[in-house]
C-alpha cells in the first residue's frame, strides 16, 4: 500500500501533472510568458529569489502549495514556533527560533520562559567577548589573548567555521581564529603549531560533552597548555560551551567559564546559540546581535508570509518537485562570494542530517525520495571543474546560485566579472544551445553533437546586495526553513540523527582492538577482521604479518 503522502490528492495530481508537462522546455515557457521572471520571483529580508528557471508552471506551483497545505505544513510550523515537542524520536521541542527572539519577547516552553534564559547567556557571552577583545581577559602569564581555538565537531564546528569565514571582513584582525574538529591529530597539531599557549584561548564546544573527537582534542589542548604553563592555567585558557555542566566540571573547567544552551537546540541549528561564541569574539557583540536579527527577520517571514510569497516555502517546494517528480538526486549550492566558501559544507550537514531519513515520524517505511545530496563550491572555481557535468551530464543537478551586487573588497573589474557568471550560468543551464545554433556557428559536423547543450536544467538565483552579518543570518535561516518545509511534507523527523550512531558504537569497540599489545581475537566479518589485522601489522611496520 502506498504511503499517506503518496495517497494525498495533491501528490496524485502532481504525478499526473508531471506526466503532462515533462516535455516542456524552459525556452518555450519563457517565450510564451514575457512576465515569467516577475511571476516566479519573490523577495524578503534582502534576498531576491528568482525561481523562474525551474521547470514549473503556475499550475505546478498551485499544486505544490496544495500539497503543503494538505500535508499540514502551516500547523507543523506553528507547532515549532509554540515550542511543542515536534522532535518526536527524542521527545524535544525544536526551538532554534528562540535563540534569536529579541529581548523582552516571551516564549514559555515546559513552564520556562526560554527567551530570558537565552538573553542571560547572551549577556554573559557579551561580557566575556568584550573582555577578551579589549585585552582585559589575561592568560596565565598576564598576557592578553591573541589566538582563539574552537574545538568541536559537526554542529559544534561547521557553524562556527562557516560564520567566521563568512564574516571575516568584519572580524577583529588582531585576533587569530582556528577551528579543530577532526580527531586526526594533524588537525590539532597544525592548528597550534605557530601559536603560544600563553596567548591562546580554547573554546571547548560540545553540546553533550561526551563526543569522543572533541574530548580527545580538548585533552590534547589541555596537555599542550598545562605542560607549558601548569595546571592552574586551565582557568585562564579554557572556556566551555555545553549543556552538560557536570561533565564540563569533571573536565576541569569552572562553570563560571561555561556558556550554556539547551536540549531544544539541535547541533546543526546551534550556530546562533553559545556555540557562536567564537563568532561573537571575532565580530563583536553588536554585529553578533545583527546576525541574530537577520535570523529572526527570516523566522518572522517564514511564520507570517503567505505560502505563495514565502521564500523558504517556495524553495522547499521547488526542491521537493525536483527531487520527487523530476528525480534529481542532488542539489548544488554555489555562492559567488568567496567569504561564503564554507557555506556548502555547512548546508550539507543542515540538509542531509536533517532530511536524510527513511521512515516517517510514526516509523512507517517511506516509498518516495527524501533529502537530496547537497554539495558545492564557490563560483567561479566550480565552473572550471565539475560544472561540465551540470551542463552536459546525464544527471540533472538543480543549482542554487547565490550572488551579491557589491563586493566587500572592490577591486577593478573583478566583481562585475564574477557576477556576470551568476547570470550566465543560469542562462546557459536553462536555455542551452540547440543543434541548429551550433551548426549556424560554422561548427564542423563531427563536433556538433558534442557542442549541443540541452538546457532545461533548473536553477534558483538568490541575489543580495552585500554580505553583512544580518544578511548571513537571514540566508542561514532561509535554508533552515527550507529543510523544515521539506521535512514537514515528507513527514520525517528533521531534528534527530540516529543514522550516525551505529558507526560511533562500532568504532568504540574497535579502538581497543587497534591499541591492544596482544593480538586480539577478532569477531567481525572477514573483511573487517582482515583490515584490522593489516592495520596492526602496518602500524608495527611488519609488512608480512598482515595477510
Ligand atoms: C548535529 C549533530 C552533530 C553534533 C556533533 C557534536 O545536529 O547532532 O553534528 O553536533 O556530533 O556533538 P556535541 O556538540 O555534543 O559534541
Amino acid at each position: 500500500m502506498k504511503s499517506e503522502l503518496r495517497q494525498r490528492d495533491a501528490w496524485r495530481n502532481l504525478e499526473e501533472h508531471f506526466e503532462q508537462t515533462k516535455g516542456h522546455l524552459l525556452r518555450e515557457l519563457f517565450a510564451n510568458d514575457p512576465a515569467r521572471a516577475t511571476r516566479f520571483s519573490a523577495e524578503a529580508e534582502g534576498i531576491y529569489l528568482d525561481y523562474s528557471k525551474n521547470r514549473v508552471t503556475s499550475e505546478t506551483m498551485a499544486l505544490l502549495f496544495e500539497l503543503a497545505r494538505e500535508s499540514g505544513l502551516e500547523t507543523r510550523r506553528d507547532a515549532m514556533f509554540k515550542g511543542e515537542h515536534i522532535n518526536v524520536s527524542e521527545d524535544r521541542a525544536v526551538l532554534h527560533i528562540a535563540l534569536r527572539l529579541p529581548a523582552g519577547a516571551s516564549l514559555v516552553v515546559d513552564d520556562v520562559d526560554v527567551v530570558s534564559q537565552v538573553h542571560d547567556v547572551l549577556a554573559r557571552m557579551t561580557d566575556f567577548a568584550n573582555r577578551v577583545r579589549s585585552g582585559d581577559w589575561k592568560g596565565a602569564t598576564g598576557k592578553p589573548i591573541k589566538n582563539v581555538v574552537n574545538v568541536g565537531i559537526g554542529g559544534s564546528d561547521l557553524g562556527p567555521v562557516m560564520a567566521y569565514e563568512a564574516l571575516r571582513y568584519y572580524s577583529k584582525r588582531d585576533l587569530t581564529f582556528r577551528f579543530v574538529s577532526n580527531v586526526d591529530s594533524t588537525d590539532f597539531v597544525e592548528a597550534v603549531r605557530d601559536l603560544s599557549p600563553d596567548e591562546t584561548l580554547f573554546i571547548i564546544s560540545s553540546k553533550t560533552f561526551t563526543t569522543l573527537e572533541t574530548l580527545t582534542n580538548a585533552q590534547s589542548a589541555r596537555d599542550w597548555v598545562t605542560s607549558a604553563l601548569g595546571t592552574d592555567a586551565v582557568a585562564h585558557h579554557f572556556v566551555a560551551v555545553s549543556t552538560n555542566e557536570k561533565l564540563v566540571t569533571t573536565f576541569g573547567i569552572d562553570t563560571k567559564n561555561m556558556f550554556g544552551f539547551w536540549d531544544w537546540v539541535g547541533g546543526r541549528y546551534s550556530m546562533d546559540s553559545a556555540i557562536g561564541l567564537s563568532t561573537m569574539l571575532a565580530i563583536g557583540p553588536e554585529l553578533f546581535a545583527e546576525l541574530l536579527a537577520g535570523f529572526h527577520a527570516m523566522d518572522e517571514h517564514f511564520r507570517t508570509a503567505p505560502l505563495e510569497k514565502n521564500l523558504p516555502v517556495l524553495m522547499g517546494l521547488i526542491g521537493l518537485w525536483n527531487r520527487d517528480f523530476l528525480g534529481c538526486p542532488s542539489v548544488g549550492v554555489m555562492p559567488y562570494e568567496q567569504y561564503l566558501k564554507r557555506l556548502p559544507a555547512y548546508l550539507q550537514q543542515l540538509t542531509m542530517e536533517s532530511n536524510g531519513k527513511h521512515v516517517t515520524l510514526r516509523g512507517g517505511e517511506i516509498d518516495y525520495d527524501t533529502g537530496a545530496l547537497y554539495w558545492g563550491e564557490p563560483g567561479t572555481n566550480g565552473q572550471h571543474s565539475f560544472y561540465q557535468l551540470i551542463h552536459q551530464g546525464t544527471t540533472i543537478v538543480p543549482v542554487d546560485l547565490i550572488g551579491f551586487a557589491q563586493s566587500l573588497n572592490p577591486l577593478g573589474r573583478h566583481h562585475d566579472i564574477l557576477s556576470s557568471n551568476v547570470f550566465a550560468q543560469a542562462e546557459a543551464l536553462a536555455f542551452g544551445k540547440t543543434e541548429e545554433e551550433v551548426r549556424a556557428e560554422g561548427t564542423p559536423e563531427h563536433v556538433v553533437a558534442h557542442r549541443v547543450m540541452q538546457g532545461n536544467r533548473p536553477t534558483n538565483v538568490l541575489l543580495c546586495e552585500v554580505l553583512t552579518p544580518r544578511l548571513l543570518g537571514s540566508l542561514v535561516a532561509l535554508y533552515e526553513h527550507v529543510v523544515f518545509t521539506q521535512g514537514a511534507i515528507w513527514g520525517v523527523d528533521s531534528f534527530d540523527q540516529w543514522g550516525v550512531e551505529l558507526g560511533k558504537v562500532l568504532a568504540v569497540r574497535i579502538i581497543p582492538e587497534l591499541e591492544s599489545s596482544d593480538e586480539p581475537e577478532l569477531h567481525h566479518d572477514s573483511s573487517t577482521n582482515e583490515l584490522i589485522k593489516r592495520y596492526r601489522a602496518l602500524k608495527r611496520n611488519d609488512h608480512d604479518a598482515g595477510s
Side-chain angles (χ1 to χ4, degrees), residues 100 294-295 298-299 312 472-482:
R100 47 260 195 163
F295 271 102
M298 186 55 75
D299 293 342
L472 181 70
S474 295
L475 188 63
V476 172
L478 166 62
Y479 277 97
E480 285 178 349
H481 300 318
V482 167

Side-chain angles (χ1 to χ4, degrees), residues 152-158 205-214 241 243 261 266-270 275 349 353-354 495-497 500 504:
I153 196 165
S156 300
D157 167 68
L158 284 159
S205 297
S206 176
K207 180 175 170 183
T208 54
F209 232 75
T210 59
T211 306
L212 189 53
E213 291 90 333
T214 299
V241 178
T243 57
F261 59 115
R268 56 194 174 275
Y269 297 89
S270 67
I275 290 288
Q349 174 181 34
E353 208 171 37
S354 297
F495 305 101
D496 63 12
Q497 57 282 317
V500 299
K504 284 193 210 168

Side-chain angles (χ1 to χ4, degrees), residues 137 202 204 209 215 218-219 221-223 225-226 230-242 244-258:
W137 177 284
F202 286 91
I204 311 300
F209 232 75
L215 292 187
Q219 190 57 52
R222 198 191 145 100
D223 295 346
V225 168
T226 55
T231 358
D232 289 349
V234 172
H236 301 265
H237 294 272
F238 282 81
V239 296
V241 178
S242 185
N244 195 332
E245 257 188 54
K246 200 163 155 255
L247 292 182
V248 167
T249 314
T250 314
F251 180 82
I253 297 178
D254 194 317
T255 47
K256 72 175 193 308
N257 293 336
M258 168 180 165

Side-chain angles (χ1 to χ4, degrees), residues 260-282:
F261 59 115
W262 306 274
D263 73 353
W264 41 259
V265 185
R268 56 194 174 275
Y269 297 89
S270 67
M271 61 170 273
D272 47 339
S273 70
I275 290 288
L277 185 60
S278 56
T279 316
M280 192 192 267
L281 284 166

Side-chain angles (χ1 to χ4, degrees), residues 351-367:
T351 59
M352 290 162 73
E353 208 171 37
S354 297
N355 284 340
K357 306 287 160 69
H358 76 122
V359 291
T360 62
L361 285 166
R362 274 177 272 155
E365 197 61 40
I366 279 174
D367 57 356

Side-chain angles (χ1 to χ4, degrees), residues 433-440 445 448-449 452-453:
K433 203 188 243 191
T434 63
E435 215 172 296
E436 294 69 45
E437 287 166 346
V438 174
R439 263 201 200 100
E445 201 49 36
V448 167
V452 169
M453 316 267 281

Side-chain angles (χ1 to χ4, degrees), residues 126-147:
T126 299
D127 176 55
F128 175 71
N130 285 335
R131 288 176 66 195
V132 173
R133 286 166 60 88
S134 67
D136 187 27
W137 177 284
K138 299 281 193 289
T141 62
K143 288 191 184 167
I145 296 300
K146 270 198 185 158
N147 318 302

